[in-house]
Each structure stands twice: as C-alpha cells, then as structure tokens.
Amino acid sequence: MSTWREGAVNGIPIALGYLAVSFSFGILAKNAGLSAMDAVIMSGTSLTSAGQFAGLTLIATSAALMEVIFAQLIINSRYFLMSASLSQRIDPSTPISHRMIMAFGITDEVFGVSTAVKGTLSPFYTYGVMSVAIPGWMLGTFLGAYSGDILPGNMVSALSIALYGMLIAVIIPPAKGDKVLSGIILISMVGSLLFSVIPLLQMISSGVKIIVLTFLIAGIAAYLFPVKEETEHE
C-alpha cells in the first residue's frame, strides 16, 4: 500500500494535466457526434491523446473499421517500446497478469514517472499512478463533452483548439536545435497539405492518409537518420 500511495501522489500532477487536455477532447468528441458516455468509454479504453484525436477524426469522416485499427496501431506503436522498457525494470518473476495491467495503463507520462523510480519497479507503484491519472483523463473528457451542451458556442469553439495546442507543444520543444526532427515535421506538414489539395490524393480516406504518411516519412527518416546508441566506457 505504501508503494501504491507513492505512485498515487506522483500521479496527481499528471491527472491535473490530463483534466485540462481531455476537457478539450470531450468537446471535440461531442462536436463529432459522440455522446458523453461514448467519449468517456473511448478515453477509459484508449488512454492516448494523439490516438484518440486521430480516431475521432476518422470516426467523424465515417472511415472504415480497418482504417481506424491500423491507424491506431501505428500511432500507438510507441507504447510497445515503453512496455518493453519497463519490463526490464520489474522483477523477472512478476506474473503475466501484472504485466498486462501495467501495459494497458502505460502512457507517456505514466512511463516517465515509472522510469524515474530507482531500483526495481513495483507494479503497484505504476498502479498508483494509473489509479489517479486515468480517472483524471476520463473526468476531463466527461466534463468537456457535457459542457458542450451548456456553454456558449463561441466558448466551446475556443476551448476546442486546446488539444491542437497540446499537440504543438509536444513536437516544438524537441524540434528546437534538431534539424532532422524539424525537417521531418515540416515534411509531414507538407505531405498532409498535398493530400488535402491534390484532387487525386483527396480521394484517399483520412485513415489511409495517416497510415501512408506515417510509414513513408517515419520509415525513410529512420533509414537515412538512424539514432545512434550511446556506448558506455568504463
């Protein structure tokens, strides 16, 4: 319980941040035609702002189910790496049930605080973080979806751009001073623009666009500019 409480305390700042961001997602979900309950279920099962934003876009455009599945698989593939990394920090004898629950609740922020734990990571620490962070994400979604019916239209419109601001805040800081990453972001923006203005490319659905651009740009960048692993010298 002490380990769980420590994780819960460290999860409070994450929950507060989630509350603000998911509020905007709730508004967007309501505008896309989802009910408040639909939006909350989506937040409670996905736990990914980028994935939910992309999924919401595909739902709003009536994309095929397989497009949504593949797009989510690609966008959220980083969680495979995060889960694999944390698996090296826990006790080797940890049951598969604990590993699966931890993997389900891994987000960028939960991974960050879990990685910062010194020594062997207890699943119950991550559970503590999850038990506060996930309800914060779901509560913000509910409040956003519910407020879409009671707030003035101009206020809802203003609040709905907060999620876009968060996505920009995620990519701008690491791009500073990194010419490769800055170039990749610029190429991604240009590629997305081309898909939206060229008549032939406009016929391609949103889900396929996301999949094609992600595979092409990320794949080419990984091949041309591989990240070199740092070697430790004793």
Side-chain angles (χ1 to χ4, degrees):
M1 288 300 298
S2 61
T3 303
W4 179 89
R5 283 195 296 269
E6 181 183 358
V9 170
N10 292 340
I12 293 176
I14 297 176
L16 294 176
Y18 280 177
L19 190 66
V21 175
S22 60
F23 186 90
S24 300
F25 171 77
I27 293 177
L28 293 175
K30 186 67 175 180
N31 292 340
L34 273 68
S35 68
M37 185 57 64
D38 291 336
V40 170
I41 293 175
M42 189 174 181
S43 285
T45 54
S46 298
L47 308 177
T48 162
S49 57
Q52 288 181 222
F53 174 76
L56 192 61
T57 301
L58 297 176
I59 291 173
T61 57
S62 301
L65 179 60
M66 291 307 298
E67 292 180 18
V68 178
I69 293 175
F70 279 112
Q72 292 299 307
L73 181 63
I74 294 171
I75 294 172
N76 298 322
S77 60
R78 67 187 186 279
Y79 295 125
F80 292 138
L81 303 178
M82 294 181 188
S83 297
S85 176
L86 286 186
S87 70
Q88 307 303 308
R89 298 287 312 282
I90 61 179
D91 191 304
S93 62
T94 301
I96 187 66
S97 57
H98 284 294
R99 295 174 184 267
M100 293 177 67
I101 296 174
M102 289 179 67
F104 166 76
I106 292 300
T107 64
D108 298 347
E109 295 76 17
V110 174
F111 172 76
V113 296
S114 297
T115 301
V117 174
K118 296 181 179 180
T120 302
L121 174 65
S122 169
F124 292 96
Y125 175 85
T126 303
Y127 294 165
V129 179
M130 291 165 51
S131 64
V132 178
I134 295 176
W137 183 254
M138 296 173 67
L139 176 61
T141 299
F142 172 77
L143 294 176
Y146 181 75
S147 64
D149 290 331
I150 59 177
L151 293 178
N154 56 351
M155 184 176 294
V156 172
S157 178
L159 290 172
S160 65
I161 67 172
L163 190 59
Y164 297 94
M166 184 213 69
L167 295 175
I168 293 175
V170 169
I171 63 176
I172 295 301
K176 291 182 177 179
D178 190 329
K179 294 182 179 180
V180 174
L181 184 55
S182 299
I184 293 172
I185 294 173
L186 181 60
I187 293 173
S188 300
M189 295 171 63
V190 173
S192 180
L193 176 63
L194 292 176
F195 268 88
S196 62
V197 298
I198 297 178
L200 183 61
L201 297 179
Q202 286 179 341
M203 299 172 60
I204 302 176
S205 63
S206 299
V208 174
K209 291 177 184 177
I210 294 175
I211 295 171
V212 171
L213 288 173
T214 302
F215 265 116
L216 283 180
I217 298 174
I220 294 174
Y223 177 77
L224 296 178
F225 308 102
V227 178
K228 297 180 180 179
E229 295 184 0
E230 297 182 358
T231 56
E232 297 182 357
H233 300 282
E234 297 183 357

